[in-house]
Amino acid sequence: MREKGEVVLEVRNMCKNFGSTIALNHVDFQIRKGEIRGLIGENGSGKSTVSSIIAGMQPATDGEMFYHGNPWKPKTMLEAAKAGIGMIVQEAGTIENITVAENIFLGNAADFLKGPFVNRKAMTKAAEKALTDCGIDYINASYPTRLLDMQKRKLIEIAKVMSLDPEILIVDETTTALSQRGRDILYKIMHRLADAGKSVLIISHDMEEMMTHCDVLTILRDGEIIDNLEKEDFEDSKIKKLMVGRDIQGNYYRNDNDTCSDEIVLKANYITTLNDLMCFNLELHKGEILGIGGLSDCGMHALGRALYGLDEIIDGEVILTETNTVVKDSIIAFQHGMGYVSKNRDSESLELMAPVKENIQSTGYWKNIWKKPLIDFKKEKKYVTDQVENLSIKCRNINQPVRFLSGGNKQKVVFGKWIAADSSILILDCPTRGVDVGVKAAMYQLMYEMKKQGKAIIMISEELPELIGMSDRLLIMRDGAVSGEFYRKDGLNEHDLINYMI
């Protein structure tokens, strides 16, 4: 284990209130030079709140911070970044309609001024260097950012933060948006910083990731520090118990070999999209959990969008077999009992400015709540409250805007709106992204219950343990086509699956 040096940042007695909600309650911890410290806890435990205060996104209600022994109270993220504290935020942190280079140097373009104008050639060259220094040599710095997918945009954010040479790098739930290639790039950066005597503060729900890469774990629950564990004390079940205050069994996936119906509910016949899928065939059965896996650029995320009618199919068709309906667009999919959970949560699955109530009711409102010519407010409230309680969504009340929820609680709102709508076919793209182990277990149980009710689920995931643990049948994709098909009853293992991905 590398030597850890002097304390570089200290948090003392920090409190943060949002109205009557206590997000942080007298939190104390330190970050040392040469250390990779993990913050871990359930959704809403205060991890992102404390890190955002350190990085200048918002002020604390009470308490104090010290950076290099001096009082630290940054007013903005830019002020913090220039002082050496950079943060890769959990959600989207790029602007679509400017170039990669402009995103990297957003707020720091003064170095490229040539009179009253920006020297874009110099900026692009500097952005290329920033990307290359991070090991990201496959993104064109002159490209408009809107042309890039979610994980490449996240890599741009990493390059932006690293271009300022941070002393403390804060990584907030970043790896959930990255492919394995992207994760490896980030891990190398983290360890390079720590080896150079700098510091990393990482937030993640991936237990294996945290135990592998962190030197120390700080565990939060309900806004309070529960414990600080050194690497030699890391133990999976112990950490989970400290997080949730109760025992969680290590294996929370399915342990059955239940079969599904022979009845086909959805078919994709030789579908081809503009860039991602080529003559793709798929059959989904009633009561089946069909897993779709592969590397991030294999086409699996595009498949989910095409099946739900969100991306144009230039050849072939998607058919709902019970009514022989062709899914030409998402409206038809929705009207015929299909639901879709996007990987891009904030931009495609939620209305962030709207309250929890309106987000959850949005998918079932038309058939469950509306009573012409008036809204049944009592039924509306019960419809929403049932999901908030069943999924343990942490919010002040159902009228709280979704933008103020933690990432995991946002994901639960997305999941809840489709459960409430009683969809018969669900397409779930990375459904447990940013969700803690306790809620994952509850979601997996819900998926299994839906399977037993005869609902059909397509689960797209970049996490092999999740796919192996939950799927009845598993399709591995490569280059927009199926490279392997596997069945739960025959046994599944990661080694076999990886061979079909590469």
Side-chain angles (χ1 to χ4, degrees):
M1 183 184 292
R2 70 177 71 85
E3 281 291 319
K4 287 179 284 186
E6 66 186 52
V7 173
V8 64
L9 186 134
E10 184 175 6
V11 174
R12 293 183 192 169
N13 204 32
M14 182 180 286
C15 299
K16 180 65 179 179
N17 300 336
F18 295 99
S20 59
T21 301
I22 299 173
L24 296 174
N25 188 20
H26 302 287
V27 165
D28 298 277
F29 73 94
Q30 299 174 334
I31 302 173
R32 295 180 178 275
K33 290 185 177 181
E35 175 179 83
I36 299 177
R37 178 176 289 264
L39 285 182
I40 195 164
E42 288 189 284
N43 297 126
S45 61
K47 308 180 300 297
S48 293
T49 302
V50 68
S51 61
S52 67
I53 292 170
I54 294 169
M57 286 179 67
Q58 59 181 331
T61 304
D62 199 5
E64 53 190 349
M65 296 184 290
F66 296 89
Y67 181 41
H68 290 300
N70 299 313
W72 176 244
K73 201 172 183 178
K75 293 182 176 63
T76 66
M77 289 188 74
L78 186 57
E79 178 188 337
K82 288 183 175 179
I85 299 179
M87 181 174 181
I88 307 164
V89 297
Q90 181 176 356
E91 305 303 345
T94 54
I95 297 174
E96 288 191 353
N97 293 317
I98 61 177
T99 67
V100 170
E102 288 167 333
N103 265 297
I104 289 175
F105 294 109
L106 189 65
N108 295 293
D111 293 342
F112 305 99
L113 288 178
K114 195 173 183 180
F117 303 104
V118 173
N119 185 337
R120 299 190 182 280
K121 184 176 181 180
M123 178 184 281
T124 300
K125 186 175 181 180
E128 288 171 351
K129 183 179 186 306
L131 289 163
T132 301
D133 287 347
C134 290
I136 311 165
D137 55 2
Y138 52 92
I139 296 178
N140 190 322
S142 63
Y143 270 25
T145 306
R146 68 177 180 274
L147 300 179
L148 304 177
D149 61 23
M150 178 180 173
Q151 73 109 1
K152 286 181 180 175
R153 293 184 194 184
K154 188 57 66 175
L155 290 171
I156 293 168
E157 293 176 46
I158 294 171
K160 174 181 173 65
V161 172
M162 292 305 298
S163 70
L164 293 172
D165 192 24
E167 289 188 59
I168 300 176
L169 174 65
I170 302 174
V171 181
D172 188 1
E173 284 288 354
T174 299
T175 53
T176 58
L178 296 175
S179 65
Q180 189 57 53
R181 182 183 185 184
R183 292 181 188 194
D184 289 340
I185 287 170
L186 180 57
Y187 297 149
K188 286 179 183 177
I189 290 171
M190 288 165 50
H191 286 281
R192 188 175 74 214
L193 286 172
D195 290 342
K198 298 183 178 183
S199 310
V200 178
L201 183 66
I202 178 171
I203 299 169
S204 175
H205 288 298
D206 187 326
M207 195 74 67
E208 182 179 350
E209 174 180 73
M210 296 293 266
M211 293 173 68
T212 300
H213 296 285
C214 294
D215 303 309
V216 186
L217 285 179
T218 295
I219 301 165
L220 291 98
R221 189 195 319 147
D222 297 328
E224 298 182 1
I225 301 288
I226 299 302
D227 207 345
N228 291 284
L229 299 179
E230 297 290 337
K231 198 171 190 77
E232 58 266 24
D233 297 320
F234 290 0
E235 200 276 311
D236 187 88
S237 60
K238 178 181 180 180
I239 296 168
K240 289 177 181 176
K241 185 174 181 179
L242 288 168
M243 283 171 57
V244 302
R246 63 186 186 277
D247 285 317
I248 292 182
Q249 298 303 315
N251 182 13
Y252 45 76
Y253 300 117
R254 292 170 55 188
N255 56 11
D256 66 279
N257 280 308
D258 294 352
T259 57
C260 59
S261 169
D262 291 333
E263 179 184 343
I264 297 170
V265 294
L266 181 141
K267 292 179 70 172
N269 292 329
Y270 301 100
I271 61 172
T272 298
T273 60
L274 191 60
N275 296 312
D276 300 290
L277 304 175
M278 177 64 71
C279 297
F280 191 96
N281 288 312
L282 175 147
E283 291 183 346
L284 176 67
H285 297 82
K286 184 176 182 179
E288 179 179 35
I289 300 177
L290 174 60
I292 309 288
L295 302 179
S296 66
D297 56 355
C298 68
M300 60 182 175
H301 303 299
L303 173 64
R305 294 179 59 83
L307 293 175
Y308 198 69
L310 291 166
D311 284 352
E312 182 183 5
I313 295 173
I314 59 177
D315 195 17
E317 58 187 5
V318 177
I319 301 173
L320 294 165
T321 55
E322 184 178 2
T323 57
N324 204 33
T325 301
V326 177
V327 182
K328 295 181 179 179
D329 55 46
S330 58
I331 295 174
I332 292 174
F334 174 69
Q335 290 175 339
H336 287 79
M338 292 179 68
Y340 172 72
V341 172
S342 170
K343 182 182 179 183
N344 302 328
R345 178 176 60 221
D346 280 15
S347 59
E348 296 183 352
S349 292
L350 292 170
E351 176 50 61
L352 295 177
M353 303 301 289
V356 171
K357 176 181 72 176
E358 291 181 11
N359 275 278
I360 290 178
Q361 72 179 21
S362 62
T363 53
Y365 184 89
W366 64 284
K367 63 179 179 181
N368 291 309
I369 298 169
W370 186 257
K371 287 186 176 180
K372 294 181 180 179
L374 300 173
I375 296 173
D376 185 335
F377 290 107
K378 185 176 180 180
K379 188 173 183 181
E380 174 192 46
K381 183 177 181 180
K382 184 179 187 308
Y383 180 88
V384 174
T385 303
D386 284 349
Q387 298 310 314
V388 170
E389 292 176 352
N390 291 341
L391 290 170
S392 300
I393 298 172
K394 292 183 180 179
C395 55
R396 289 198 300 271
N397 53 56
I398 62 174
N399 294 308
Q400 182 179 11
V402 166
R403 71 181 185 275
F404 293 125
L405 302 186
S406 68
N409 281 296
K410 288 178 184 176
Q411 189 72 354
K412 287 188 274 186
V413 171
V414 176
F415 210 81
K417 74 179 186 180
W418 292 113
I419 295 171
D422 198 29
S423 304
S424 57
I425 297 173
L426 274 172
I427 300 170
L428 309 177
D429 193 346
C430 299
T432 61
R433 175 181 168 240
V435 171
D436 64 60
V437 290
V439 178
K440 274 187 179 182
M443 285 186 172
Y444 295 146
Q445 185 60 37
L446 280 168
M447 290 170 61
Y448 183 54
E449 291 298 325
M450 287 188 282
K451 166 191 164 58
K452 291 197 294 185
Q453 293 165 15
K455 299 182 188 301
I457 297 171
I458 293 176
M459 183 177 68
I460 301 164
S461 177
E462 296 170 8
E463 307 294 336
L464 282 178
E466 180 172 74
L467 290 168
I468 291 169
M470 292 304 299
S471 302
D472 295 300
R473 181 165 53 104
L474 178 53
L475 302 180
I476 296 298
M477 290 182 62
R478 185 175 64 225
D479 298 327
V482 174
S483 60
E485 183 174 18
F486 304 87
Y487 291 84
R488 183 180 193 83
K489 61 183 176 62
D490 298 329
L492 300 170
N493 69 76
E494 291 193 27
H495 179 75
D496 290 342
L497 301 180
I498 289 171
N499 286 337
Y500 283 83
M501 291 181 179
I502 300 171

